[in-house]
Amino acid sequence: MAKNYVRFQKDKQIDWAKFTEGKVYPLGLGDLDTRKFLEFSKTNDFNPGSESYKLSEVKLLSPISSPCQIICQGANYRQHLIESGLDPDDKSYNLFFTKSDASLTSPVGEVTRPKHVKLLDYEIELGLVFGKSIDSFTEVNSGNISEYVAAIFMANDVSARDIQLPQLQWYKGKSYRTFLPAGPVLAVLEPGDFELLNSLELTLLVNDRVRQHDTISNLVFKPEETITELSSFCNISPGDVLLTGTPSGCALRAPGKMIQKIAGLLSERKKWELFVKGQSKRSQYLQPGDVIHSFIRTADRRIDLGDQFLKVVQGS
């Protein structure tokens, strides 16, 4: 069964802890990075003492530390493809992009909307943490994926759509500081746990209203085939992560087919001006003061990645 850990700060000291039954049991390891923590967990059976804290007594930190490589998949859920104006049965390629590790932030706290951004969006995602290096083409399947993926966590791929799309700046539009809340739980998996991944349910609410809900079973490109493809063009190190895509329900909506045809006749500048103007009418985009609550778990809680609580604040 997956073992749950959190990284936290208390009295200006950072440590890792075992997380069970709503309590934090410090391990006394200090501020190990994610890679070293995973290496340590392979050869040590953590037996924390009786000391414990309530979640309210500690500051939860991202269990993913920098530096690390953050690889992402785009439009990887069937319904998300449909709302993006694409046919999931006609998708012939896996869309990859990256985020800066400067975007990593705590799972409980604030997301800052830069002052020049109008279209701030949310994207709940399942993250995979690599536990083994890959430096050549590697066939990954259900029988050996546990050799390469050491843990899973929850992420929010926060995105500035008016930077990402009109400027064709995916890296920039998704990498501002606080644009990757991660955690709280780092679930270190055992081989049998991988069979449960398809049962994971992802849910994101904004101001207590459900915006996104889906299950991992609806991924278009599964982790095994994705990692196999990645290995053909990307070197991977332990501690690097893969974000597997977000379900439908984002604030972003693709313009209709007719509008897209008309836009094709316009200059690039005019086309994107109209895009931002149209998207700005959508109330779903995040505003200062909005509260985002998200969680990923199986119905029976055999895997539970905890809860994120984030408040949107305006950047200066």
Side-chain angles (χ1 to χ4, degrees):
M1 188 171 179
K3 297 178 181 178
N4 292 342
Y5 300 99
V6 295
R7 184 168 163 261
F8 73 98
Q9 181 175 332
K10 183 173 176 58
D11 300 328
K12 297 183 179 180
Q13 299 297 315
I14 296 176
D15 195 6
W16 287 86
K18 195 166 185 177
F19 180 62
T20 181
E21 297 180 352
K23 289 189 176 182
V24 174
Y25 293 85
L27 297 173
L29 300 176
D31 190 15
L32 292 183
D33 63 26
T34 307
R35 175 176 181 166
K36 290 180 181 177
F37 175 78
L38 290 172
E39 289 176 353
F40 193 80
S41 70
K42 290 179 183 179
T43 56
N44 292 270
D45 187 16
F46 298 127
N47 292 305
S50 58
E51 181 185 29
S52 67
Y53 303 115
K54 298 177 182 177
L55 284 178
S56 59
E57 296 177 312
V58 302
K59 179 182 179 181
L60 292 169
L61 304 176
S62 166
I64 308 304
S65 60
S66 60
C68 73
Q69 183 175 202
I70 301 168
I71 306 162
C72 311
Q73 290 176 266
N76 198 32
Y77 281 82
R78 293 186 61 83
Q79 192 59 37
H80 189 204
L81 277 165
I82 292 171
E83 74 176 13
S84 299
L86 303 171
D87 180 357
D89 295 319
D90 192 39
K91 188 176 183 184
S92 58
Y93 63 91
N94 206 338
L95 173 60
F96 294 102
F97 60 94
T98 57
K99 287 174 77 88
S100 165
D101 58 9
S103 62
L104 284 165
T105 194
S106 302
V108 177
E110 297 179 342
V111 170
T112 300
R113 186 179 76 170
K115 60 182 180 181
H116 61 285
V117 170
K118 296 179 181 179
L119 305 179
L120 188 68
D121 210 347
Y122 47 83
E123 295 189 14
I124 186 174
E125 307 205 13
L126 175 68
L128 310 181
V129 188
F130 292 100
K132 183 178 180 179
S133 295
I134 300 176
D135 57 11
S136 61
F137 180 74
T138 304
E139 287 278 2
V140 178
N141 52 53
S142 59
N144 68 2
I145 189 172
S146 62
E147 296 179 24
Y148 299 96
V149 177
I152 59 175
F153 68 101
M154 173 169 45
N156 190 335
D157 176 21
V158 180
S159 306
R161 301 300 192 190
D162 43 341
I163 306 299
Q164 173 197 354
L165 299 174
Q167 295 185 18
L168 301 178
Q169 293 270 15
W170 284 55
Y171 184 69
K172 179 180 176 182
K174 288 174 169 283
S175 292
Y176 292 102
R177 287 176 176 82
T178 75
F179 272 29
L180 183 50
V185 169
L186 182 73
V188 177
L189 302 177
E190 297 183 347
D193 294 325
F194 286 87
E195 300 173 4
L196 302 175
L197 293 192
N198 277 341
S199 300
L200 283 171
E201 298 182 14
L202 305 86
T203 306
L204 181 144
L205 305 89
V206 177
N207 300 330
D208 296 324
R209 294 193 174 187
V210 175
R211 295 284 185 87
Q212 293 183 282
H213 180 77
D214 211 331
T215 62
I216 296 297
S217 61
N218 287 321
L219 285 174
V220 177
F221 292 98
K222 309 297 185 183
E224 295 89 341
E225 60 183 313
T226 296
I227 297 170
T228 298
E229 184 176 357
L230 269 178
S231 74
S232 69
F233 65 87
C234 179
N235 289 336
I236 293 168
S237 299
D240 289 345
V241 301
L242 171 67
L243 306 188
T244 55
T246 197
S248 63
C250 295
L252 176 67
R253 282 293 185 279
K257 297 290 186 182
M258 182 59 70
I259 295 178
Q260 290 184 43
K261 288 182 179 179
I262 295 173
L265 302 175
L266 303 174
S267 68
E268 283 293 301
R269 178 184 291 274
K270 188 62 177 178
K271 177 178 71 174
W272 289 115
E273 283 179 358
L274 291 176
F275 168 81
V276 172
K277 183 178 180 180
Q279 292 292 309
S280 295
K281 296 176 182 178
R282 292 185 54 77
S283 62
Q284 290 87 346
Y285 281 101
L286 295 168
Q287 303 296 324
D290 285 348
V291 175
I292 310 164
H293 175 203
S294 53
F295 46 91
I296 299 178
R297 56 182 65 121
T298 57
D300 60 7
R301 302 293 183 93
R302 287 182 63 186
I303 297 181
D304 187 342
L305 302 184
D307 292 72
Q308 287 191 1
F309 291 97
L310 305 159
K311 184 177 181 180
V312 179
V313 298
Q314 182 63 54
S316 57

